[in-house]
């Protein structure tokens, strides 16, 4: 009989001593005793039916504690051996050259322009000859993924080879990053990534000109971009998988190219000119040369037209030391303002704008910041603009789900977050937005004059 039914019947049995009424607490105690008794009997009776649970393999192993030195060493050695084995499974340069030779030998005519093609039959033949390491690439799934509009049902040899190269590179990089994963749990802490980039510097020809005394500042500048965008919750660690999925590592390793153009270097955050520019700006702002920035010093950033109200919020919300900002905090500030279209940058600015910490911006919040813009306009002799008009424009641009509140997700979804935040924090940005039509007309006139000459 089911234990629930037994308990129900037992409680339904009338009291055998009618003259003695039990208190409510006694009834509860009796009910709990009966429940415990019958449940234990029921559970014990089911033991024999659950024997198959013993066959489930163990899937959780706790991490060694700090004082378990031997276990920690054993774990480190095991991981090192595992990563070495994985590294040996990857194609080396000689094997990649052999693969290219086989693909070229088995190309299927006719060529498309100068591009060699291969059909599925020859594709499988190459797979058989290429060896065990290549087996994972010669599947129907991979072929179908690369098959586009060829009327003969072929794929491009070059596209396939690039696919293989990309996969090998990803695995190599993952193994390389995993060597710095001290915890061995698939993520890198700030110190882990700093060590990785520091040891990577000598392999990047574009950084040959950096003085060793600047290495620590370069590493800080580079690491900060990874953590600003990939660690939005500020947990202090990033998944290796996320590092591989984003383009930052590609940008960093692009510095291996000795012939990288000047334009590419200027737009690459990790290049020497970019790192020196950011650090140089920091030094120029630091007028008292104490290595930190005060609110007054930071106010000269960019066009020096950010409002005091916004700067107050920066120093209220961001990490400071005796009311001053260090280089790492400054980097977060720069990354947010230089990438205002990105969700991570909008999250940073949104937190500053959300003065009531409610998770949304309302009319009060918008007015609080725009009032400072109006005051700067008066100081610079500009005609003040009605807040009501600006507020209506902002809500029209964002089109929030709630007509009275703007959430962070509303800002991101609208693709107008950069414009909205600029209007609220920077007089120069607001002036540019307000005069955008006149500026476009001037640009058109200048272009026309250049064409005439």
């Amino acid at each position: 009989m089911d234990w629930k039914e037994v308990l129900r019947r037992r409680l339904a049995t009338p009291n055998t001593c009618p003259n003695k009424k039990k208190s409510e607490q006694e009834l509860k105690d009796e009910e709990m005793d009966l429940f415990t008794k019958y449940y234990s009997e029921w559970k014990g009776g089911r033991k024999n039916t659950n024997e198959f649970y013993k066959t489930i393999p163990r899937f959780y192993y706790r991490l060694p504690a700090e004082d378990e030195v031997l276990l920690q060493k054993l774990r480190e050695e095991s991981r090192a051996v595992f990563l070495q084995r994985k590294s040996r499974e990857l194609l080396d340069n000689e094997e990649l050259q052999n693969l290219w030779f086989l693909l070229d030998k088995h190309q299927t005519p006719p060529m498309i322009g100068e591009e060699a093609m291969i059909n599925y039959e020859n594709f499988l033949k190459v797979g058989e000859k290429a060896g065990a390491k290549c087996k994972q690439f010669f599947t129907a799934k991979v072929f179908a993924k690369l098959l586009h509009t060829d009327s003969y049902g072929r794929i491009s040899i070059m596209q396939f080879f690039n696919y293989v190269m990309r996969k090998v590179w990803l695995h190599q990089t993952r193994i390389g990053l995993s060597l710095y994963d001290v915890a061995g749990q698939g993520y890198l802490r700030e110190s882990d990534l700093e060590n990785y980039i520091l040891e990577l510097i000598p392999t990047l020809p574009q950084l040959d000109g950096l003085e060793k005394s600047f290495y620590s500042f370069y590493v800080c500048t580079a690491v900060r971009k990874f953590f600003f965008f990939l660690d939005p919750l500020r947990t202090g660690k990033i998944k290796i998988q996320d590092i591989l999925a984003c383009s930052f590592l590609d940008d960093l390793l692009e510095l291996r190219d000795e012939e990288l153009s000047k334009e590419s270097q200027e737009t690459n955050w990790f290049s020497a000119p970019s790192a020196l520019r950011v650090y140089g700006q920091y030094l120029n702002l630091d007028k008292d040369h104490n290595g930190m920035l005060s609110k007054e010093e930071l106010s000269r950033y960019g066009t020096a037209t950010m409002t005091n109200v916004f700067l107050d919020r920066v120093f209220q919300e961001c990490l400071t030391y005796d009311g001053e900002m260090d280089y790492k905090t400054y980097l977060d500030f720069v990354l947010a303002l230089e990438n205002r279209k990105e969700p991570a940058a909008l999250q940073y600015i949104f937190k500053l704008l959300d003065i009531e910490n409610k998770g949304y911006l309302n009319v009060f919040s918008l007015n609080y910041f725009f009032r400072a813009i109006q005051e700067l306009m008066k100081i610079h002799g500009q005609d003040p603009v009605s807040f009501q008009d600006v507020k209506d424009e902002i809500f029209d641009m964002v089109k929030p789900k709630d007509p009275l509140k703007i959430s962070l997700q509303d800002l991101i979804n609208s693709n107008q977050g950069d414009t909205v935040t600029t209007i609220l924090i920077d007089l120069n940005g607001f002036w540019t937005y307000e005069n955008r039509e006149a500026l476009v007309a001037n640009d058109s006139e200048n272009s026309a004059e250049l064409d005439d000459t």
Side-chain angles (χ1 to χ4, degrees), residues 92-192:
D92 58 29
N93 288 336
E94 187 178 334
E95 289 165 328
L96 285 169
Q97 288 176 4
N98 182 54
L99 175 60
W100 176 255
F101 171 76
L102 288 171
L103 288 168
D104 188 54
K105 186 179 177 181
H106 289 80
Q107 60 178 280
T108 309
M111 295 176 69
I112 298 179
E114 296 183 357
E115 192 162 10
M117 310 292 285
I118 189 170
N119 63 17
Y120 188 60
E121 184 181 352
N122 287 341
F123 177 78
L124 293 179
K125 287 180 182 177
V126 173
E128 291 173 3
K129 295 179 180 180
K133 285 186 181 181
C134 294
K135 187 177 179 181
Q136 59 180 309
F137 303 115
F138 288 88
T139 64
K141 185 177 180 180
V142 171
F143 190 89
K145 189 184 293 184
L146 299 173
L147 183 63
H148 298 304
T149 56
D150 183 67
S151 55
Y152 297 95
R154 305 168 302 171
I155 63 172
S156 163
I157 287 177
M158 181 57 74
Q159 284 186 6
F160 173 71
F161 189 71
N162 286 339
Y163 170 83
V164 174
M165 291 276 285
R166 177 69 179 171
K167 284 287 186 182
V168 171
W169 178 84
L170 279 172
H171 286 299
Q172 282 176 339
T173 308
R174 177 156 195 160
I175 290 169
L177 288 168
S178 296
L179 292 171
Y180 293 85
D181 175 13
V182 176
Q185 293 187 291
Y187 61 78
L188 295 184
R189 299 169 304 175
E190 201 163 336
S191 57
D192 301 332

Side-chain angles (χ1 to χ4, degrees), residues 431-446:
W431 184 89
T432 303
Y433 171 76
E434 193 69 6
N435 296 277
R436 59 195 181 282
E437 293 175 0
L439 292 172
V440 170
N442 286 338
D443 288 341
S444 300
E445 288 176 9
N446 292 335

